[in-house]
Every structure is written in structure tokens, then in C-alpha cells.
Amino acid sequence: MLCIHLNTVHLSVVALQVSYIGHDCEDIPEYLGERYGLLTRRLDLSFNQLRSLAGLKAFTGLEELVVDNNLLGNDLQLPRLPTLHTLTLNKNQISFQELLEHLAKAAPSLQYLSLLGNEVCPNQLVSLDKDEDDYQRYRYFVLHKLPTLKFLDTRKVCKIEQQEAEARGAFMKVVKPKLSDTHFNILLLPLSGVFAKCHYVYYGKHSEGNRFIRNDQL
């Protein structure tokens, strides 16, 4: 292990892993990419104040990226990382599901994704009124957008989920009404079809905050 002390900054480099944790930085320091970008395979930037990941351009061979507990939002942009297979974005400020389309293009080899603690992931970590049905619909939609995933959040993707995501995942997007006095979400679902059963984790109380609409009512 190589440990480098730069003033009050402690940087830990282990083999091809770089950890830069808990420094309250809003951007990835340039020197990290300049010195270690080409060699790094795993990068941990947890517990900072990151609002941008533009500095990842230097990490061309990155395979694992951990950016938990930061301030990353819906404007998150990744450079193209063709070898990235693991991405954890837990406890950020992501609420926009269209970000998944960007991830599909930027990280075509992605197999593990975790979004726990973000508004986009409807479970008890972000809202007590979400239940297991809300979470399962979210999984179907994510897997539809990112069919290469083998793990989502803390659970392995099962074969039934893959089949349901392929067949109906596109209809699982949650659309939030713009009216300020509205407290429910509108969920797009197919007109017919029975969902296959698949074991999943229970995440909270039963939610009455969704109503179902048909395609001809849109």
C-alpha cells in the first residue's frame, strides 16, 4: 500500500484502487486524474460534496466507481467509461429517471448499480409512504433501461424480473403531477397483463399515493 500525505490531505492508493474520502470537495481534484487516472480500476469518492464528475475523464480504465454520500443531482454526466461495471450512487440527490438513459450510453458494461437513498429509488430510505410495490415497479423500469444489470441496489436481478422488465418495464415510469396541491404520483402501466411473482425486499407501509391510468386517458 502506498500512502501519500499532501499537506492535510491523506490519499490512499492500494494496487489499482484509489480512495479519496471525506474531504468535502465539490469537484474531483485534477491531480488525482493526472497521477493515477490511467492506472486506477477502482475509485472511491464517498463522503464529499461532489456536484460534478467531470474529473473522471482521466480515469479511462475505471471498472468500479463509488460516489456515495455526495450532492450529485439530475444533471450528473459521466464521461464514456466502457469498462465500468460497478457504480454506487447511494445517498445523493437524484430524482430524474431519464438519467438512466445517460448511464446506458456512458457505461455500456454496467452490471451493478445502487441508487438507495435517492428520491428516484422509492423505498423507506427516502419516503415512509413507499411500499414494496413501488420499489418493484422502479426495479422493472431501471432494468428496462439498463438490461445489462445483474444487481440493482442490494439485490440480485432474477430471471423473472428480466422478463417483466423487457415486457412491461417501459410502462413503469412514475410521472409527478405539476400541481402544487397534488400529493400523488401517476404511474403508467400496460392495459392488461399479470405480473409474475418474484421475491423482493419489503420497504415500508402500503402506499395509496399512486393511481393507475390507461393509455387512452393520457
Side-chain angles (χ1 to χ4, degrees), residues 83 131 216:
T83 59
D131 64 11
D216 60 5

PDB file of all heavy atoms in Angstrom, residues 83 131 216:
ATOM      1  N   THR A  83     -15.414   0.273 -19.591  1.00  0.00           N
ATOM      2  CA  THR A  83     -15.106  -0.888 -18.747  1.00  0.00           C
ATOM      3  C   THR A  83     -15.767  -0.813 -17.372  1.00  0.00           C
ATOM      4  O   THR A  83     -15.583  -1.719 -16.559  1.00  0.00           O
ATOM      5  CB  THR A  83     -13.582  -1.035 -18.564  1.00  0.00           C
ATOM      6  OG1 THR A  83     -13.055   0.166 -17.964  1.00  0.00           O
ATOM      7  CG2 THR A  83     -12.891  -1.261 -19.903  1.00  0.00           C
ATOM      8  N   ASP A 131     -44.002   1.539  -0.621  1.00  0.00           N
ATOM      9  CA  ASP A 131     -44.063   0.142  -0.220  1.00  0.00           C
ATOM     10  C   ASP A 131     -43.330  -0.728  -1.229  1.00  0.00           C
ATOM     11  O   ASP A 131     -42.679  -0.232  -2.145  1.00  0.00           O
ATOM     12  CB  ASP A 131     -45.512  -0.313  -0.030  1.00  0.00           C
ATOM     13  CG  ASP A 131     -46.311  -0.267  -1.326  1.00  0.00           C
ATOM     14  OD1 ASP A 131     -45.709  -0.091  -2.404  1.00  0.00           O
ATOM     15  OD2 ASP A 131     -47.543  -0.423  -1.261  1.00  0.00           O
ATOM     16  N   ASP A 216     -55.261   5.283 -23.101  1.00  0.00           N
ATOM     17  CA  ASP A 216     -56.179   6.162 -23.817  1.00  0.00           C
ATOM     18  C   ASP A 216     -56.648   7.337 -22.986  1.00  0.00           C
ATOM     19  O   ASP A 216     -57.408   8.191 -23.442  1.00  0.00           O
ATOM     20  CB  ASP A 216     -57.392   5.365 -24.317  1.00  0.00           C
ATOM     21  CG  ASP A 216     -58.160   4.707 -23.166  1.00  0.00           C
ATOM     22  OD1 ASP A 216     -57.786   4.955 -22.004  1.00  0.00           O
ATOM     23  OD2 ASP A 216     -59.098   3.944 -23.465  1.00  0.00           O
TER      24      ASP A 216
END
